[in-house]
Amino acid sequence: MELNRYAGQYVKIITKNQEWMVCEILELPDNESLPDGHSMINIFDRSNRNIKSSKGRMVLMHEDVVRIEELEPEILQGIHLTLTRVPDIVEVYKSLNREELPSRVSFGKIGELDQTRFPIGKFEPIPLPSSEERQSFINQIPDITITLRHTLTNLTLDQLQTPYRHEGWTIQQVVHHLADNDMNAYLRFKRALTEDEPLVHSYREDLWAELNDYKDVPIETSILLLESLHSRFLSVLNGMNSDDYHRKLRTQLLGNITLDIALQRFVWHNRHHIAQITSLIRRNGWS
């Protein structure tokens, strides 16, 4: 694909191996030249950050490019702010260990991180839901694993190891986290049904995600676990009356919450993480 006509522009490049790079197509001075079919680019961010030269200048062969996309306004704004408001950042970036620095693009991306982390927005509870609203949340539970399976269909092992955002969890880690979180939520729910406002403890989900099972166990194991767990949870929910949903549990982070809100958070949490995965798939053009 011809790159020279994009000289001087910031674009997103998709390569044959399905990697993406946010970069500037550089215009070479008259005293410099490259072989035909090659261009010099300056990489600001890329999907594969594991290689040594993950950012900075490199020569790219045109035949390795399958698609060129215009950048979203927020990304262009980020690049503009980085280069104009922090003019010495390029030299600082060159002089330090690049692997220990955040993405140059992210310095100026106002609100972009939150959109990536919270693609469906942050959790907003309904304190006193109607019986119809409550049933609507219950009815969403059987669809969670169906949607998750459909979302993960045809993803390669390499794609499963891709972080959904810069310095975020990989898709595989997210799937295993869903199983762990729902197990914890299920047990908390049952304690609130059988104890008087029990104090439930949080867990170090960041450290759990670094354990071997998150890296070595196939995602199918956690999907099957979620299917079984949700079946059990639905049985509990369908046996509860309205007063049961007013029972409370005490949390370290959220304070006292009712089981109505715990149910809403359970559903939101699954939709939240599945949306992170679908957002990554869409951004990388994997679908």
Side-chain angles (χ1 to χ4, degrees), residues 185-200:
Y186 174 63
L187 294 175
R188 293 177 189 139
F189 212 91
K190 294 185 74 172
R191 286 192 61 194
L193 282 173
T194 56
E195 302 174 31
D196 184 21
E197 296 190 11
L199 174 62
V200 296

Side-chain angles (χ1 to χ4, degrees), residues 160 168-178 209-210 214-215:
L160 291 175
W169 288 339
T170 65
I171 294 177
Q172 178 162 311
Q173 286 176 304
V174 170
V175 174
H176 290 319
H177 166 70
L178 286 176
E210 297 302 318
Y214 276 64
K215 302 173 185 177

Side-chain angles (χ1 to χ4, degrees), residues 227-282:
E227 289 175 338
S228 299
L229 186 64
H230 291 180
S231 176
R232 291 275 304 271
F233 192 31
L234 283 168
S235 179
V236 172
L237 294 171
N238 290 329
M240 293 170 57
N241 58 45
S242 295
D243 290 339
D244 290 333
Y245 285 95
H246 297 153
R247 296 180 67 92
K248 296 181 179 179
L249 50 84
R250 292 179 293 140
T251 71
Q252 295 171 309
L253 297 177
L254 304 174
N256 289 10
I257 63 172
T258 65
L259 291 187
D260 257 327
I261 292 179
L263 168 63
Q264 296 168 36
R265 192 172 186 88
F266 182 94
V267 173
W268 172 86
H269 182 266
N270 279 280
R271 293 182 57 237
H272 159 70
H273 281 300
I274 292 173
Q276 288 175 339
I277 298 172
T278 57
S279 176
L280 172 65
I281 292 171
R282 183 174 61 253

Side-chain angles (χ1 to χ4, degrees), residues 12-199:
K12 180 178 181 179
I13 289 175
I14 313 297
T15 64
K16 286 181 178 179
N17 61 2
Q18 293 302 302
E19 181 188 10
W20 59 260
M21 294 180 285
V22 173
C23 62
E24 178 186 12
I25 312 298
L26 297 176
E27 294 181 283
L28 295 178
D30 293 338
N31 61 344
E32 293 184 30
S33 63
L34 290 171
D36 290 341
H38 295 70
S39 289
M40 180 73 73
I41 64 174
N42 187 26
I43 303 173
F44 285 82
D45 200 7
R46 70 192 305 170
S47 55
N48 183 4
R49 300 187 179 90
N50 295 322
I51 63 177
K52 187 174 181 180
S53 58
S54 61
K55 298 184 179 73
R57 294 192 176 197
M58 67 168 283
V59 175
L60 182 66
M61 295 178 61
H62 296 184
E63 66 181 23
D64 290 335
V65 178
V66 296
R67 192 167 73 252
I68 299 176
E69 298 177 0
E70 294 184 0
L71 293 176
E72 299 171 356
E74 293 84 358
I75 304 295
L76 287 172
Q77 180 188 38
I79 294 173
H80 175 74
L81 288 174
T82 297
L83 297 179
T84 59
R85 300 300 179 87
V86 197
D88 61 342
I89 194 64
V90 174
E91 295 306 319
V92 172
Y93 187 81
K94 289 178 181 177
S95 66
L96 297 177
N97 184 347
R98 296 176 182 177
E99 300 304 318
E100 296 178 358
L101 290 175
S103 163
R104 285 162 61 186
V105 174
S106 68
F107 289 148
K109 287 196 313 189
I110 301 172
E112 182 71 13
L113 181 59
D114 277 350
Q115 180 61 35
T116 305
R117 292 186 63 188
F118 300 98
I120 64 171
K122 295 187 177 182
F123 176 65
E124 296 183 4
I126 304 174
L128 297 173
S130 65
S131 58
E132 291 79 13
E133 288 173 323
R134 180 185 300 131
Q135 190 60 48
S136 173
F137 285 106
I138 295 173
N139 291 343
Q140 293 180 56
I141 294 176
D143 294 332
I144 290 172
T145 52
I146 295 174
T147 302
L148 182 61
R149 278 191 181 280
H150 177 74
T151 301
L152 299 172
T153 299
N154 298 326
L155 290 186
T156 66
L157 292 177
D158 286 342
Q159 289 170 339
L160 291 175
Q161 303 307 317
T162 304
Y164 81 91
R165 65 177 177 87
H166 179 58
E167 297 183 343
W169 288 339
T170 65
I171 294 177
Q172 178 162 311
Q173 286 176 304
V174 170
V175 174
H176 290 319
H177 166 70
L178 286 176
D180 280 350
N181 184 83
D182 284 11
M183 282 192 291
N184 276 277
Y186 174 63
L187 294 175
R188 293 177 189 139
F189 212 91
K190 294 185 74 172
R191 286 192 61 194
L193 282 173
T194 56
E195 302 174 31
D196 184 21
E197 296 190 11
L199 174 62

